[in-house]
Amino acid sequence: MTSLLLTNADILVTMDAQRREIPGGAVYVEDNRIVAVGPAAEVPQRADTVLDMRGHAVMPGLVNTHHHMYQTLTRAVPAAQDAELFGWLKALYPIWARLTPEMVRVSTQTAMAELILSGCTTSSDHLYIYPNGCRLDDSIEGAEEIGMRFHAARGAMSVGESAGGLPPDSVVEDEAAILDDTRRVIERWHDPERFAMRRIVVAPCSPFSVSRGLMRDAADLARHYGVSLHTHLAENDDDVRYSLEKFGMTPAEYAADLGWTGPDVWHAHCVKLDDAGIALFGRTGTGVAHCPCSNMRLASGIAPVRQMRCKGVPVGLGVDGSASNDGSHMLGEARQALLLARVGSGPAALNAREALEIATLGGAKVLNRDDIGALAPGMAADIVAFDLRGLGMAGALHDPVAALTFCAPQTVAWSVINGKIVVREGRLTTLDTGALARCHNALAAALVRGEA
Ligand SMILES: [Zn+2]
């Protein structure tokens, strides 16, 4: 057994049942599990490793519930900078069709490095395009090396242009092959146990890129194995119009009709979820990945987060694919959630502590986990620390917890994932980020130029 003690934090944000914030707080960890949390004098004083957290805010690691990490290769592509969702997709599909296994692995690590440095310790990734021999395994292997807790979603597209779908035929897969490969990755990688570092999610891309049959079969398959379901839903007005024209139902009605509701399901965006849909999701415990940066970037609208929370809908945050956000900064996303909610519904729409709660406990709930998102005995040891002594926080220490979202988004000084120190004094310990960025840039240039 190895032990780790983070002690003397200026403020320790627990997100526990009482939402305690403890000045001079400490967390004591054995292996990958939190054993004690409290004022420094009340937890064990000795450990194999002791980190003095004076000058830091310590909190649970943030949870990212929606991403397409391969898209870090196509950030800020000129042809897709100024489009709405469908136009943006049309511009990028032909580029993504050239993706290789190496690109999937490297881009996963780039996105994860950026996420980890921004305070995130658990992330989902929705990989839905598998050209040129790419596999979900490529992203999982990338995650293993960097040491991030990972929910890998086996996405899919099966309805190409010739069948009335949005993606070109060259990037869609056969439905039987999709289900076979989904079964394969669940059996190879899924860990249902508490503190799992690796879970698999069944995730057809969206109602406008797969058939009704695949959505139903995917739900059956996920429930057979006890894994979660994830897709995009009600992202913007075009998306709702497509659903009404093609299926004669609103997106929420379509989800319900397919069996895509329940605590084992979460949908990305839901910007245009109507009142009946919000009530349905609240009743069934269906989760939402709120992606404020992406929604602003693509001018999709403002998701009704306040109404969702009032009706009991589990809401987490997602940075979304890097091509429609262009950044993977989790604390920054919490800040945008706060700001965007206020643009929509006034300053009472969301406060700073709620934004942090959505980014931690909210994300854990959406991923259907009760072992992450809070610092309490028996929880997984996913802990981050932000240094409060820099310029960005200067003058904000009247309330350092609120300052984490009100001030410019900081990067972490320390990150512990599953009991292991993954960021030490601001530097990632598991990978060389400079070399990673150089490799990633070379692959991105080749991909966009078409030389892959
Ligand atoms: Zn997405």
Side-chain angles (χ1 to χ4, degrees):
M1 188 268 290
T2 57
S3 55
L4 169 69
L5 175 67
L6 293 90
T7 190
N8 300 320
D10 280 18
I11 189 78
L12 182 88
V13 182
T14 64
M15 292 292 166
D16 65 7
Q18 295 82 43
R19 302 290 188 275
R20 283 185 304 158
E21 292 173 6
I22 306 169
V27 190
Y28 173 76
V29 171
E30 289 180 351
D31 292 331
N32 60 352
R33 180 169 165 272
I34 295 173
V35 173
V37 175
E42 294 175 18
V43 307
Q45 303 295 300
R46 289 172 180 282
D48 299 330
T49 305
V50 178
L51 305 178
D52 189 337
M53 290 286 107
R54 254 175 280 229
H56 294 78
V58 174
M59 64 177 294
L62 309 180
V63 179
N64 178 39
T65 62
H66 189 63
H67 209 322
H68 312 287
M69 294 184 181
Y70 75 89
Q71 293 178 4
T72 48
L73 294 157
T74 53
R75 290 165 154 167
V77 166
Q81 282 178 11
D82 302 322
E84 288 189 17
L85 177 65
F86 286 8
W88 171 85
L89 283 169
K90 289 261 185 203
L92 288 170
Y93 281 139
I95 296 175
W96 294 339
R98 298 192 287 262
L99 207 62
T100 66
E102 183 190 20
M103 289 173 182
V104 171
R105 184 176 52 76
V106 171
S107 59
T108 299
Q109 293 188 332
T110 295
M112 286 189 169
E114 198 182 358
L115 282 168
I116 290 170
L117 289 166
S118 74
C120 184
T121 53
T122 298
S123 185
S124 181
D125 184 45
H126 190 187
L127 181 61
Y128 56 81
I129 188 164
Y130 294 89
N132 313 313
C134 291
R135 300 173 313 153
L136 191 65
D137 312 58
D138 302 317
S139 68
I140 294 170
E141 285 158 10
E144 299 255 321
E145 200 180 343
I146 203 165
M148 184 166 224
R149 204 179 292 283
F150 188 31
H151 285 225
R154 205 303 180 183
M157 298 192 291
S158 66
V159 179
E161 267 170 341
S162 65
L166 198 68
D169 290 356
S170 62
V171 296
V172 304
E173 295 177 90
D174 171 71
E175 298 198 343
I178 290 166
L179 292 167
D180 278 349
D181 191 57
T182 307
R183 262 182 230 107
R184 179 188 69 79
V185 292
I186 293 170
E187 288 175 6
R188 173 155 187 214
W189 296 104
H190 183 70
D191 179 0
E193 300 297 325
R194 206 169 160 75
F195 304 154
M197 288 293 283
R198 213 67 64 226
R199 293 223 171 125
I200 300 296
V201 178
V202 180
C205 185
S206 64
F208 53 81
S209 56
V210 304
S211 74
R212 190 186 289 254
L214 184 67
M215 291 295 284
R216 282 224 176 84
D217 290 346
D220 289 345
L221 188 139
R223 287 182 176 125
H224 171 76
Y225 284 101
V227 307
S228 287
L229 285 160
H230 179 49
T231 193
H232 295 88
L233 201 78
E235 181 165 348
N236 69 4
D237 289 328
D238 288 343
D239 198 355
V240 174
R241 202 171 304 123
Y242 184 94
S243 181
L244 290 171
E245 280 171 14
K246 194 95 179 166
F247 311 121
M249 298 180 205
T250 66
E253 287 166 350
Y254 186 56
D257 184 58
L258 297 167
W260 275 72
T261 54
D264 56 348
V265 183
W266 87 100
H267 296 282
H269 303 301
C270 296
V271 172
K272 300 292 176 181
L273 197 64
D274 57 6
D275 288 346
I278 293 171
L280 170 74
F281 279 26
R283 228 169 30 242
T284 53
T286 308
V288 169
H290 174 44
C291 308
C293 285
S294 170
N295 298 159
M296 287 187 275
R297 159 78 142 89
L298 298 175
S300 299
I302 304 174
V305 170
R306 166 55 59 206
Q307 294 93 308
M308 289 179 190
R309 281 170 61 83
C310 285
K311 296 288 180 188
V313 179
V315 179
L317 287 183
V319 298
D320 199 3
S322 296
S324 66
N325 172 352
D326 311 81
S328 301
H329 200 298
M330 242 345 255
L331 189 62
E333 203 67 31
R335 182 171 195 257
Q336 292 297 359
L338 172 88
L339 299 177
L340 185 61
R342 290 174 175 208
V343 173
S345 315
L350 206 64
N351 69 41
R353 283 173 171 76
E354 279 182 293
L356 291 178
E357 183 183 305
I358 293 173
T360 51
L361 283 175
K365 183 96 188 276
V366 162
L367 297 186
N368 212 9
R369 294 189 77 129
D370 61 5
D371 57 347
I372 58 172
L375 302 181
M379 300 294 278
D382 291 0
I383 307 159
V384 296
F386 293 92
D387 194 330
L388 300 171
R389 297 166 296 189
L391 276 179
M393 302 292 267
L397 302 182
H398 324 287
D399 186 348
V401 179
L404 288 172
T405 50
F406 277 120
C407 294
Q410 304 290 302
T411 52
V412 291
W414 296 86
S415 175
V416 174
I417 304 180
N418 207 39
K420 292 201 172 60
I421 296 172
V422 173
V423 178
R424 177 187 296 278
E425 293 174 341
R427 296 176 70 92
L428 198 67
T429 62
T430 48
L431 282 177
D432 174 347
T433 49
L436 180 61
R438 284 191 295 277
C439 176
H440 186 94
N441 277 324
L443 293 172
L447 177 68
V448 172
R449 280 200 310 262
E451 294 164 6

